[in-house]
Amino acid sequence: MAHIKVQLEINGESVELEVKPYETLLDTLRERLELTGTKEGCGLGACGSCTVLIDGVPTRSCITLTAEVQGARITTIEGLSDGMTLDPLQQSFMEKGAVQCGFCSPGMILTARGLLNRNPTPSREDIIKSLSSNVCRCTGYKKIIEAVEAAASPENSEN
Ligand code: FES
Ligand code: FES
């Protein structure tokens, strides 16, 4: 089957790949680029664990074809911090005890980052609504919502 040449910016680096027409972005990230911080839960677009930012917008990578996002800027959890300083959401999730097994955390944090980028001072209801399609089997959500509230401030809008 013919492959498709794609160019992406992933975590600030330009990447060129030849992908199968039906290759998902999740598979490209995890299998080819070894960015395994992006988790595969349902594989059906239902749980949110595979969420990445595409041009700043939280998107489920398991139902996104890599060939569809030609030229896009993609941020995974590996690219959220600069290597020296954590994103305020990462810091807050740790401080508030919002991480237990951690499987949902990359998707939760990137979904919340997308929210804070478009609305740096969300209400609790905004946060709950934003995270309503991200599933966590451990925390009961309360600490996750508290962590996003704590991280929310105008200067935290980036990526
Ligand atoms: S793995 Fe993509 S939404 Fe569940
Ligand atoms: S911390 Fe375990 S699934 Fe959310």
Side-chain angles (χ1 to χ4, degrees):
M1 182 175 296
H3 284 54
I4 299 169
K5 194 174 278 188
V6 293
Q7 185 277 326
L8 304 168
E9 183 188 312
I10 300 180
N11 298 333
E13 292 195 8
S14 180
V15 175
E16 285 191 17
L17 294 163
E18 292 199 359
V19 300
K20 301 183 194 97
Y22 53 82
E23 182 171 320
T24 66
L25 181 59
L26 178 63
D27 282 346
T28 300
L29 293 171
R30 286 183 58 85
E31 309 292 332
R32 287 159 164 272
L33 302 175
E34 299 183 352
L35 294 169
T36 53
T38 305
K39 301 303 180 196
E40 180 168 12
C42 65
L44 298 169
C47 74
S49 64
C50 65
T51 302
V52 298
L53 296 178
I54 299 182
D55 294 330
V57 178
T59 305
R60 282 153 203 243
S61 61
C62 73
I63 53 170
T64 300
L65 297 179
T66 305
E68 284 180 324
V69 293
Q70 173 75 264
R73 181 169 55 95
I74 294 163
T75 304
T76 71
I77 196 70
E78 290 90 345
L80 200 57
S81 80
D82 62 8
M84 299 291 288
T85 312
L86 292 176
D87 183 277
L89 281 160
Q90 293 172 307
Q91 189 71 38
S92 185
F93 267 59
M94 288 198 307
E95 289 172 357
K96 295 289 181 185
V99 177
Q100 288 188 22
C101 80
F103 191 86
C104 72
S105 304
M108 288 282 184
I109 289 171
L110 288 165
T111 301
R113 172 45 62 209
L115 170 67
L116 297 189
N117 285 352
R118 66 179 186 276
N119 178 8
T121 55
S123 65
R124 174 168 273 244
E125 288 66 36
D126 292 332
I127 294 168
I128 292 170
K129 189 174 171 194
S130 167
L131 297 177
S132 63
S133 296
N134 286 64
V135 175
C136 176
R137 62 193 170 190
C138 306
T139 66
Y141 301 99
K142 186 169 179 286
K143 289 182 183 300
I144 291 174
I145 292 161
E146 287 174 1
V148 178
E149 279 184 314
S153 70
E155 63 269 23
N156 289 339
S157 179
E158 55 192 45
N159 290 293

